[in-house]
Amino acid sequence: TTRLVRGLAGRCLHITLDVIDLLARAMLVAVFCGELGLILVEIFQREVFNQSFLWSEEVSQIALLVIAFIGGPIAYRAHSHAAVSFATKALRPAVKNAVEAGIDTTILGISLLVALSSLDLIEVDSLSVLPTTQWNLAITVVPFVVGMLLIAIFAVERLVLHHRPAAALHGLLGVGVFTLLVLAVWWVPALQPGNGLSLLLMLAAFLVVILLGLPVAFALLVGTILYVTLTDVAPMVAVPQTTSNGAGLFVLLTIPFFI
């Protein structure tokens, strides 16, 4: 009976997330088509009337944010993102399963932490408006927050439906121990490293999690959060702010979303 209940609950969760995934894909297609249409109209406007819409740049920026941060969770759920996995292939099956569960646990924790930190950014940006459209500036942060929450939901789906309970528990313990060590170093002033050593630790953490199979976008976030925590050089809100601002650059987007 217990197994049957768990099976039904898992099925309901999977169907619910399929609906969410479908809605996200529909939004992505609509925004992409709208952005493409805006580009064509803008070209026509310039060629025929020798003028352009002043608000097109701001609308395009918001569209790009939606495409980046809603498309990311869709790729994560579909296993479309590339990951370096050769380091885990040599591991025993039980260890490999625990590492993979730890990767999804890390993604879950990072997503929730960054989404929570974004609330301060929304509060600050809500006091300003975009220059041309006069829309509230906080609208530029919303796609990022929604994207992080979607990734967190899809990570829960993986942990519940795709990993065995033992592997999920071992992965959670591994991530928990690492988190406690970082917090201990941050809490005790005598243990806090200098900026140089913190930079080395950030690079080492980035390399390790990349080799273990963490997606590049989250490997960058792990290294950044580790450095910010160890050095206290900036508040945590700087992480979502920098990530959101960087989404306006096509070159930077190719690193975490297409490698």
Side-chain angles (χ1 to χ4, degrees), residues 143-164:
F144 178 75
V145 177
V146 173
M148 291 296 103
L149 293 178
L150 284 176
I151 290 179
I153 293 173
F154 294 151
V156 171
E157 179 191 25
R158 285 195 184 186
L159 290 171
V160 173
L161 301 181
H162 299 169
H163 295 293
R164 294 181 177 180

Side-chain angles (χ1 to χ4, degrees), residues 72-133:
I74 294 174
Y76 170 67
R77 188 173 191 246
H79 299 272
S80 298
H81 60 277
V84 180
S85 58
F86 70 88
T88 59
K89 290 182 178 179
L91 300 176
R92 294 182 302 171
V95 178
K96 180 182 177 181
N97 292 336
V99 170
E100 291 176 348
I103 291 298
D104 288 325
T105 302
T106 302
I107 291 175
L108 172 60
I110 293 296
S111 299
L112 292 177
L113 175 62
V114 175
L116 184 62
S117 301
S118 301
L119 298 180
D120 292 334
L121 182 59
I122 291 178
E123 183 179 356
V124 173
D125 285 353
S126 64
L127 303 177
S128 304
V129 295
L130 293 170
T132 306
T133 60

